[in-house]
Amino acid sequence: MIDPKLRQRLTGVFTALVTPFRSGAVDKPALERLIAAQLAAGVAGLVPVGTTGEAATLSDDEAEDVIRTTVKAAAGRAFVMAGAGSNATRLAVAKAERAQAAGADGLLLVTPYYNKPSQDGLFDHFSAIAKAVSLPIMLYSVPGRTAVEIAPATAARLAAAHSSIVGIKEAGGKTERVTELRQALGRDFVIHSGDDGLTLPFLALGADGVTSVASNLLPAEVVALCRAWFAGDPREARRIHEALFDVVGHLFIESNPVPVKTALARTGLIGAELRAPLAALRPENLQALEASLRSFESRANI
């Protein structure tokens, strides 16, 4: 059984942080500004070095530095769930050990990508990491990027074998997965939506929160949605969901995190710099994103 205090800490909005860059290097002052905005809005957690943080293009030293910076800036005010995934088990173990040494509160572990392991391979992979570290672990199923999905039975097998495996970020775009996971894992296991557009449907089906891309840009609004739901006000939660719907869709008009970094740069909080092979938004998509943001700003009252 998951510690109730830990479960509470894993409930709500976790921001999948972008990694700001400046002249090719991590822009730590910009990262600190971004984190300060998240904390001011009341997010429950911060997720550095994930997909949104362009983890695939960070060196190990850069990743560790980003995690340390996040831990220091959070100062215990939010749960730091560091990304530590790899498609090579021995590298994932090493990343997890470094994240633990950097002070992370927990780990987000994506399914191995490209090599398409079986469910037994997934069990062995995540088990090796769980045995190597003592931190709470949230699994991350995102088949659109990795080509493999964590079966509910596999998640249940992992949770039964390792008490540190306490949750899953579900980013497969299917609402039925919430019920499938609940039936396989029970009420205690933590489920996060990994798709901003599905946050409210996931909550309605029994999820515990969202690991959000949109909250980089609109943390107060995403927090307000979740708080309304948990306060027993589904009408208000639906109102916020509908207000956010168009802009959230446009934050995924091209591969994440290109649109959200572009939108953040528009605010002046960070720069829009990306790492290759990611490239700037195509002009027509930039126009569509900017139009969506202007429309949201003109009518938002959240």
Side-chain angles (χ1 to χ4, degrees):
M1 181 175 177
I2 299 170
D3 182 339
K5 291 182 179 179
L6 174 61
R7 195 177 193 286
Q8 182 59 38
R9 292 191 72 194
L10 296 175
T11 298
V13 177
F14 276 51
T15 299
L17 293 169
V18 303
T19 302
F21 298 116
R22 185 181 179 88
S23 301
V26 174
D27 186 348
K28 288 203 290 186
L31 177 60
E32 290 165 350
R33 291 194 299 270
L34 176 64
I35 292 169
Q38 300 300 312
L39 297 172
V43 301
L46 301 167
V47 185
V49 196
T51 302
T52 308
E54 296 174 78
T57 62
L58 296 176
S59 70
D60 288 342
D61 287 344
E62 287 176 323
E64 183 175 341
D65 193 30
V66 168
I67 295 168
R68 287 190 185 278
T69 300
T70 304
V71 170
K72 182 178 179 180
R77 292 171 290 173
F79 192 99
V80 178
M81 180 78 74
S86 172
N87 65 336
T89 301
R90 62 183 179 83
L91 295 181
V93 168
K95 288 176 182 289
E97 290 172 337
R98 291 188 72 158
Q100 180 169 273
D105 298 308
L107 301 174
L108 181 69
L109 301 180
V110 71
T111 49
Y113 37 87
Y114 185 76
N115 37 21
K116 298 175 69 174
S118 67
Q119 293 299 308
D120 285 340
L122 291 179
F123 179 84
D124 292 342
H125 174 82
F126 291 123
S127 291
I129 304 168
K131 291 174 182 176
V133 294
S134 59
L135 295 178
I137 289 170
M138 182 171 282
L139 307 173
Y140 179 14
S141 184
V142 56
R145 285 188 180 261
T146 68
V148 292
E149 185 173 67
I150 302 172
T154 302
R157 185 181 170 200
L158 283 162
H162 307 285
S163 60
S164 60
I165 296 179
V166 297
I168 188 168
K169 175 186 174 183
E170 173 52 47
K174 298 184 293 185
T175 55
E176 61 265 31
R177 285 273 291 181
V178 181
T179 302
E180 293 168 355
L181 289 162
R182 276 278 167 256
Q183 290 178 342
L185 288 141
R187 297 301 311 170
D188 285 339
F189 200 74
V190 175
I191 300 173
H192 276 201
S193 171
D195 296 288
D196 277 290
L198 295 179
T199 298
L200 182 56
F202 265 54
L203 293 175
L205 290 167
D208 303 283
V210 57
T211 301
S212 173
V213 174
S215 59
N216 280 279
L217 179 68
L218 301 167
E221 291 83 352
V222 180
V223 167
L225 188 160
C226 288
R227 285 181 176 171
W229 177 263
F230 291 129
D233 192 348
R235 180 176 295 182
E236 176 65 2
R238 185 170 64 250
R239 183 189 72 81
I240 299 170
H241 165 81
E242 291 174 353
L244 290 171
F245 186 77
D246 183 65
V247 70
V248 164
H250 280 86
L251 289 178
F252 296 92
I253 197 168
E254 287 186 24
S255 293
N256 178 46
V258 177
V260 72
K261 270 195 159 180
T262 304
L264 282 166
R266 184 174 174 270
T267 72
L269 192 62
I270 71 166
E273 186 173 327
L274 301 152
R275 279 211 172 149
L278 295 182
L281 278 177
R282 293 189 295 273
E284 64 272 23
N285 288 337
L286 176 60
Q287 291 176 6
L289 174 63
E290 289 179 337
S292 176
L293 291 167
R294 288 194 299 269
S295 175
F296 175 80
E297 292 160 355
S298 69
R299 58 186 169 76
N301 183 27
I302 296 175

